[in-house]
Amino acid sequence: MLNLERLRTLDALARHGSVSGAADGLHVTTSAVSQQMAKLEREVGQPLLAKNGRGVRLTDAGRLLADHAARIISQVELAQADVEAQRGCAVGELRIGAFPTAMRGILPQALSALRDGHPDLRALVREQEPEESMAAVVRGDLDLALAIDWHNKRMPVPAELTRTHLLDDSVDIAVPVAHRLAARTEISLSEFADDDWISWNEGQFCHEWLVFTLRGTGIEPRIAHIAEEHHTQLAFVEAGLGVCVAPKLGRGPVPPGVRLLPVCDTVRRHVYVVWRADADRRPSIRAAVDALRQAASAL
């Protein structure tokens, strides 16, 4: 009889491509991954891993069993969803990923309502960028993910996932109080051709959106500084080091040296939640989505 946890380890190895990646995805040590694989190899009676330079690769038998493992794990998730649906109540553990502004602006209210309405359901939250959290839902590492895209640049959602819209989040442009446009009541992005920008990390969806959008207005963006958190970006703006995009969702106090300017051609983000389609019947999923909708509608 094949052990399910060892099959999960093999599946993680196949998805992540390395022992360290599998360990990170499973939240265990690399030695635990190696031990599980050694036991699985003894169970099947043939090697599943082979050395590949400094790392490892799956053997033919390893790839074959990994394909079966993915299907077995999916069937187990379906069985768990059906059993939970049969009980008719939201219980157990629910793993949620969310981008930073949603962590501040939506999740606290949603989690509070979820705790009050479903005391036997334990929510575990992880802060992640949308691309990472959606991939984690596909892999089964997360149950739900809060994600975003933009009015003029949509993020592809994998076919395995179901999505529902939560809210549209409008954004302003943050400028220093001494900026030439600071007294305006609204602005156009095309007016920032000569400004330095404080942006997110290169490769992140929001950074790619900013570059794409500015180029669409005829501006070749001058990215002067990279900062992950909006509060850090605003601190750079206050110091006169550039301008930045300032979403309203999760926005805290704005530094006194910063002015927020609405964009005349409205710039907005679409905020939504995704989950695996094969988990659609789980009461815990439905309860969490309802709580997120209520929290979003309150905004």
Side-chain angles (χ1 to χ4, degrees), residues 223-246:
I223 308 297
H225 305 286
I226 297 293
E228 187 71 21
E229 275 289 335
H230 287 292
H231 295 311
T232 306
Q233 293 181 1
L234 291 175
F236 274 58
V237 171
E238 185 177 36
L241 300 173
V243 301
C244 76
V245 175

Side-chain angles (χ1 to χ4, degrees), residues 100-129:
T101 51
M103 289 280 284
R104 293 194 300 271
I106 298 179
L107 267 183
Q109 300 88 337
L111 292 177
S112 178
L114 201 58
R115 179 197 59 201
D116 293 343
H118 305 278
D120 293 326
L121 179 63
R122 180 174 177 239
L124 303 176
V125 178
R126 181 191 308 173
E127 185 174 299
Q128 278 188 319
E129 289 303 315

Side-chain angles (χ1 to χ4, degrees), residues 160-174:
E160 302 97 319
L161 302 185
T162 298
R163 67 182 279 175
T164 191
H165 177 265
L166 294 176
L167 61 92
D168 285 343
D169 180 32
S170 59
V171 305
D172 300 319
I173 302 301

Side-chain angles (χ1 to χ4, degrees), residues 13-79:
L13 264 169
R15 288 186 282 103
H16 293 284
S18 68
V19 171
S20 59
D24 289 341
L26 295 170
H27 307 292
V28 298
T29 64
T30 54
S31 63
V33 170
S34 299
Q35 289 169 18
Q36 289 285 62
M37 289 305 302
K39 291 176 182 177
L40 186 58
E41 287 181 328
R42 289 197 293 272
E43 286 177 351
V44 299
Q46 55 185 310
L48 302 174
L49 297 178
K51 288 195 174 296
N52 184 30
R54 300 173 112 185
V56 295
R57 62 172 176 82
L58 293 178
T59 63
D60 290 343
R63 285 194 296 271
L64 177 65
L65 187 55
D67 289 341
H68 284 290
R71 290 192 292 271
I72 290 167
I73 292 166
S74 179
Q75 284 300 120
V76 169
E77 289 174 354
L78 279 170

